[in-house]
Amino acid sequence: MTDDLDGVRDHYRATGLTERLKTALMALGPQDARLTPEQLGALDQFHTRGLAATAELAKLAGITADMSVLDVGSGVGGPARFLAATCGCRVTGVDLSEPFVAAARYLTQRTGQSEQVSFQTGSALGLPFDDGSFDVALLQHVAMNISDRAGLYREIRRVLKRGGRFATYDIVLKSGEPHYPVPWARTPATSFLFTAAATREAIEPAGFRTLTWQDDSESAKAWITQLRASGPPPSPNLGVVMGPDFAELSANLGRSLMESRLGVLTAVFEAASIDT
Ligand SMILES: C[S@@+](CC[C@H](N)C(=O)[O-])C[C@H]1O[C@@H](n2cnc3c(N)ncnc32)[C@H](O)[C@@H]1O
């Protein structure tokens, strides 16, 4: 199977996103008012369990203020801004979607973090950085869009310093197929789910040693149960980013997790020597 990068870009095309964000954010105050990463949490943390999941991953990866962090598939930049604000580190985000990168830069201006956090357009399969550039690489809810996992994890290893950390938080296949459309793919054509075991088999040969390996499916189910009980989501939320069908995409992910068709994996690795 080959990667359909155009199909994935099309899924995250987000026409007029920055303008829509400007309008939606008026609910939080005037355009010149500085926003906090927490205020944006319902809108810019594009993964299950939102801010809490990003905070836990940062802790597991051991991110500290002196580190240079790469967020691969950075979306509209919520995790990058949150990490910079809470850990004090520098963060670079890279994402395939140009409108997402433009929106990430706009939101970072609004939180006053543009000195510490930057974004570039690019593919995870050909990262626009030199070898050994980063202390930590994060990959949250991105791998499901990528079939060439060996290529993905090799690229991440290449841009990490030896001894650096790779922290991944992703949806994995458990039994059967998800109910489409889901938040990362409206059809199976751009969805490339691996089991947890197959994910590990792809990561370790790229030059990684496993430090943490956690099945977070039960926490995801508990989060979904809580969301269902709490009624409509706070506004503005990810519907602004993904469009009016986001509620359906999100409900299908919830259903697929609750039926254990899908699961959630958290794992942290150390960048070891690379076998050539
Ligand atoms: C579900 S969103 C997650 C965004 C972000 N990691 C977060 O948790 O908020 C998936 C993101 O991965 C990006 N993506 C998918 N395939 C990619 C690739 N090959 N290279 C770079 N980014 C990619 C998409 O453009 C999208 O922004």
Side-chain angles (χ1 to χ4, degrees), residues 5 8 12 44-47 73-75 79 95-97 100 122-124 140-142 145-146:
L5 296 185
V8 174
Y12 298 107
D44 69 3
Q45 301 283 328
F46 197 166
H47 50 258
S74 45
D95 200 281
L96 199 57
S97 162
F100 275 25
S123 170
Q140 285 186 292
H141 283 45
V142 177
N145 278 133
I146 299 178

Side-chain angles (χ1 to χ4, degrees), residues 31-248:
Q31 290 227 7
D32 55 356
R34 188 165 282 201
L35 298 169
T36 64
E38 285 78 7
Q39 276 179 294
L40 298 176
L43 164 96
D44 69 3
Q45 301 283 328
F46 197 166
H47 50 258
T48 48
R49 292 178 49 242
L51 271 177
T54 303
E56 279 170 32
L57 199 63
K59 199 167 168 204
L60 285 173
I63 299 176
T64 52
D66 55 334
M67 289 182 175
S68 172
V69 176
L70 174 66
D71 189 12
V72 180
S74 45
V76 294
R81 284 184 292 278
F82 180 74
L83 291 177
T86 53
C87 304
C89 55
R90 277 168 295 124
V91 189
T92 304
V94 63
D95 200 281
L96 199 57
S97 162
E98 273 186 35
F100 275 25
V101 168
R105 289 180 181 145
Y106 170 69
L107 293 172
T108 304
Q109 244 172 281
R110 293 291 307 265
T111 58
Q113 293 175 289
S114 301
E115 296 280 302
Q116 209 183 346
V117 184
S118 64
F119 297 94
Q120 291 189 39
T121 306
S123 170
L125 295 169
L127 291 168
F129 307 105
D130 292 338
D131 296 1
S133 300
F134 298 96
D135 299 293
V136 174
L138 241 65
L139 185 75
Q140 285 186 292
H141 283 45
V142 177
M144 326 80 87
N145 278 133
I146 299 178
S147 73
D148 179 8
R149 294 297 183 90
L152 167 68
Y153 300 127
R154 256 198 323 265
E155 263 304 88
I156 292 174
R157 173 63 193 89
R158 182 184 67 74
V159 300
L160 275 175
K161 294 173 186 166
R162 188 161 176 195
R165 298 280 187 273
F166 167 42
T168 183
Y169 177 65
D170 256 307
I171 301 284
V172 291
L173 206 53
K174 283 216 149 171
S175 63
E177 286 294 314
H179 298 285
Y180 288 97
V182 284
W184 64 93
R186 288 184 172 86
T187 73
T190 50
S191 182
F192 307 103
L193 292 159
F194 279 37
T195 61
T199 303
R200 190 170 183 161
E201 278 164 27
I203 293 177
E204 287 180 342
F208 288 107
R209 188 171 71 85
T210 304
L211 300 176
T212 304
W213 185 259
Q214 244 170 246
D215 180 346
D216 277 332
S217 307
E218 291 309 312
S219 313
K221 285 183 186 176
W223 178 74
I224 286 155
T225 304
Q226 196 188 327
L227 281 188
R228 286 177 178 174
S230 60
S235 202
N237 57 56
L238 272 161
V240 180
V241 176
M242 289 303 286
D245 64 349
F246 189 71
E248 181 195 358

